[in-house]
Amino acid sequence: MLSIAAFVAFSCAPEEKTEGNKTEEPEKKEPVIGPAVFGKKVNQISINRVKSMPRIPDTYKMLDWKQKALDYDAYVFDWDAVDDARPLIWLDESRPAQIAFGLKTTVGDVRQGKEHQSNHEAINTIAAVLSGGLMGIDKTNQDGYNYVQMLQKYYAAGVQWNIMLNNVSGYGKDWWYNVLPNVLYWGVCDLFPGVEGTETILRSIADQFAKADEALGDNYSWSWFNYYAMKGENTGIPRQEDAAAGHAYVLLNAYRHFGDEKYLERAKHAVSVIDGLSESRFYEILLPFAAYVEAVLNASEGTQYDVRKVIDWTFEGNKTNGRRGWGVICEKWGEYDVYGLQGSITDGGGYAFQMNSYEMAWPLVPMVKYAPEFAGMVGKWMLNNASASRLFFPYEIADENQACADIKDITGNVIGYEGLRKTDRYNKISAVPVAEGDGPSWTSDNPPCTMFSLYSTSPVGIFGSIIRTTDVEGIITLDCNATDFYGDRTFPCHLIYNPYLEEKYITYTCAASADLFDAVGDVYLLRNVSGDVSVRIGPGESVLLFEIPAGTELYDIDGNTGTLDGHIVSYRRN
């Protein structure tokens, strides 16, 4: 049964047809509506690892992430450039009926390019299309190509998996590589709806994930899953229970998009597997998507999943089984603050990854719309993470702290290193930390420049769409709608964290005449304002600012605060 919040969010989905081509209407529960009562501040939940991060890093610097993402797109999708690094893009005509494009996984990877045209990765190309789309670039009509449609070559109908795979030539026996491309693709298709063939593929992915979840039952303890045989298998790599988070995220969005209850039920089941674990099973990047799904379901469906537990597991990492030490780094390495970066806490003293640090923001920033009790935690973590993530770029870290300073010009200052390690894995650099990558270890023919990583930088548009600086140094705004794919994005919503121990006023620009409502403080900050206005943030506090058309009346709706047409601005069930 749909709550009022869920019903409004999903009411535009296509009708689900049943036998005889009749429509079966879901039962609708009448909401309890009354006058809104304001002033009940949301108590904030702290996460231990975030609590130990600085309010603002000593080595704080915030890049213009939007410009970085725009520059990356222009540099990488340049078909005409010929220099020491480029071209980085080529046409894949290995199946003439379905022409695609490839991007090099890293600069100079000898295994890829026009001579090896079908060797490219979805976690790179789909992420690059997603990134450009988040920046407002029309990737359906750029350079004469429909890049969104070209992504369909990853769809694995030929091997009867019927999902998006990481490679066009087959599947890998490493589960996250087979799940993440589908998470990325669902994001792309929200940005670019209506592309021919999209709906069929989205439905197929959702059906396969639903069948897989049913086949797996409560046991996701496998290294990978065969989506044709519907059978899990184990190899020499750790088991990846957090694949359930990827399933749950796609299935939740399938429910939002198609309106089919079976996807909601399977999303609940998949995330219940995560909720039922006794310890973290964070393997690569999927676990934080479970926190988002749980928050949404708690808010809209009245479930009682333990969101804090999943966030704790994401930050603390595995401690006994699975991929041990995989979490969020909370240290200063040498002269650099690296708090908030995601990767291994233990490998060589710590190994942070650029891709992971961006993609973790995708689910956690919009999560606070549904669980405002985590606004302070997410705001503080993102300030640290976004500041430290600049260190992946060769012009943002000292030459002695990077592996390829002598050739950094080939990156155009838009392609970053794959990772940042506390100690050099190649034992050539004594400085701490070291920006470097794994590329040279993939094959002996790969040159040092393969440490500069496209697959790692391609998701930079996630930061570019979310993060904006303000007129107060150290205070940023986070767009909570940017990556809330298939969610209710009716009203602009921004998370603003004040790291200082005194109140601060920032200039906020309203898109139109608006009332500004803070879902954390449960108060109107300003009414009937437009243009540039001054917004107060208390010492060490966060505001979750909704920009509502001026004069819009808010009501209590089933214990939440929202408009009569069902758009919720403050979830309070939990």
Side-chain angles (χ1 to χ4, degrees), residues 201-259:
I201 293 175
L202 290 179
R203 176 71 80 171
S204 176
I205 293 168
D207 285 343
Q208 286 297 90
F209 277 15
K211 291 174 185 175
D213 180 71
E214 186 173 9
L216 284 157
D218 294 335
N219 180 20
Y220 270 76
S221 187
W222 305 101
S223 301
W224 72 288
F225 187 81
N226 186 317
Y227 286 89
Y228 168 62
M230 288 291 157
K231 180 182 178 183
E233 296 186 26
N234 285 316
T235 61
I237 61 175
R239 302 180 183 195
Q240 300 179 33
E241 286 91 341
D242 70 343
H247 281 179
Y249 179 78
V250 167
L251 290 165
L252 171 65
N253 287 336
Y255 172 58
R256 287 164 152 176
H257 184 60
F258 292 116

Side-chain angles (χ1 to χ4, degrees), residues 53-54 56-63 65 328-333 336-342 352-354 357-358 380-394 396-397 417 419-420 433 435 463 467 476:
M53 294 179 186
I56 185 168
D58 293 334
T59 57
Y60 173 82
K61 181 181 178 182
M62 191 58 56
L63 298 184
W65 287 104
V328 174
I329 291 159
C330 193
E331 288 184 335
K332 187 168 193 155
W333 291 346
Y336 293 99
D337 291 303
V338 296
Y339 297 90
L341 299 178
Q342 202 274 301
F353 287 90
Q354 184 184 181
S357 298
Y358 298 148
K380 183 179 181 182
W381 162 66
M382 276 297 293
L383 186 70
N384 280 273
N385 182 25
S387 174
S389 288
R390 78 187 190 280
L391 302 174
F392 296 115
F393 293 95
E396 296 295 334
I397 192 168
Y417 285 97
L420 187 72
F463 271 19
I467 302 167
I476 58 177

Side-chain angles (χ1 to χ4, degrees), residues 59-111:
T59 57
Y60 173 82
K61 181 181 178 182
M62 191 58 56
L63 298 184
D64 182 340
W65 287 104
K66 179 179 180 180
Q67 192 60 52
K68 183 69 76 176
L70 288 168
D71 292 344
Y72 177 80
D73 187 272
Y75 194 79
V76 170
F77 284 88
D78 189 335
W79 293 84
D80 300 321
V82 179
D83 54 34
D84 290 339
R86 297 177 293 176
L88 296 163
I89 188 169
W90 68 93
L91 279 181
D92 175 2
E93 300 176 288
S94 57
R95 294 201 299 266
Q98 194 174 31
I99 295 175
F101 74 98
L103 291 176
K104 289 205 170 185
T105 298
T106 65
V107 174
D109 194 325
V110 299
R111 304 167 302 167

Side-chain angles (χ1 to χ4, degrees), residues 306-321:
D306 190 344
V307 180
R308 179 179 184 171
K309 178 174 69 174
V310 174
I311 296 175
D312 261 327
W313 283 348
T314 299
F315 280 79
E316 295 286 347
N318 298 7
K319 295 184 177 179
T320 56
N321 294 306

Side-chain angles (χ1 to χ4, degrees), residues 375-439:
M377 180 279 295
V378 170
K380 183 179 181 182
W381 162 66
M382 276 297 293
L383 186 70
N384 280 273
N385 182 25
S387 174
S389 288
R390 78 187 190 280
L391 302 174
F392 296 115
F393 293 95
Y395 286 89
E396 296 295 334
I397 192 168
D399 284 357
E400 59 265 28
N401 291 92
Q402 57 181 300
C404 298
D406 56 327
I407 56 170
K408 65 182 179 181
D409 61 305
I410 69 174
T411 67
N413 196 27
V414 297
I415 301 173
Y417 285 97
E418 182 181 17
L420 187 72
R421 282 178 62 94
K422 188 172 185 179
T423 58
D424 179 19
R425 65 165 294 175
Y426 302 100
N427 297 314
K428 294 180 179 180
I429 299 173
S430 59
V432 174
V434 180
E436 58 185 9
D438 296 338

Side-chain angles (χ1 to χ4, degrees), residues 318-524:
N318 298 7
K319 295 184 177 179
T320 56
N321 294 306
R323 192 176 190 178
R324 296 184 187 180
W326 196 255
V328 174
I329 291 159
C330 193
E331 288 184 335
K332 187 168 193 155
W333 291 346
E335 298 300 315
Y336 293 99
D337 291 303
V338 296
Y339 297 90
L341 299 178
Q342 202 274 301
S344 175
I345 299 169
T346 56
D347 184 3
Y351 193 177
F353 287 90
Q354 184 184 181
M355 178 196 82
N356 306 62
S357 298
Y358 298 148
E359 291 185 353
M360 189 168 152
W362 169 351
L364 292 189
V365 171
M367 177 196 71
V368 301
K369 289 170 57 178
Y370 308 96
E373 61 268 29
F374 295 104
M377 180 279 295
V378 170
K380 183 179 181 182
W381 162 66
M382 276 297 293
L383 186 70
N384 280 273
N385 182 25
S387 174
S389 288
R390 78 187 190 280
L391 302 174
F392 296 115
F393 293 95
Y395 286 89
E396 296 295 334
I397 192 168
D399 284 357
E400 59 265 28
N401 291 92
Q402 57 181 300
C404 298
D406 56 327
I407 56 170
K408 65 182 179 181
D409 61 305
I410 69 174
T411 67
N413 196 27
V414 297
I415 301 173
Y417 285 97
E418 182 181 17
L420 187 72
R421 282 178 62 94
K422 188 172 185 179
T423 58
D424 179 19
R425 65 165 294 175
Y426 302 100
N427 297 314
K428 294 180 179 180
I429 299 173
S430 59
V432 174
V434 180
E436 58 185 9
D438 296 338
S441 68
W442 296 337
T443 172
S444 59
D445 294 329
N446 263 356
C449 67
T450 53
M451 296 193 194
F452 297 125
S453 175
L454 278 76
Y455 95 83
S456 304
T457 315
S458 280
V460 67
I462 294 171
F463 271 19
S465 64
I466 290 174
I467 302 167
R468 296 290 182 273
T469 57
T470 69
D471 53 350
V472 176
E473 180 80 0
I475 297 183
I476 58 177
T477 66
L478 303 175
D479 187 338
C480 299
N481 285 339
T483 56
D484 191 17
F485 300 121
Y486 304 93
D488 185 352
R489 294 165 288 186
T490 303
F491 304 131
C493 177
H494 293 87
L495 171 60
I496 311 168
Y497 161 67
N498 176 12
Y500 299 102
L501 296 180
E502 64 270 1
E503 67 177 19
K504 293 290 182 181
Y505 287 82
I506 67 157
T507 301
Y508 178 87
T509 303
C510 301
S513 181
D515 296 335
L516 302 185
F517 182 81
D518 172 22
V520 171
D522 195 35
V523 294
Y524 283 99

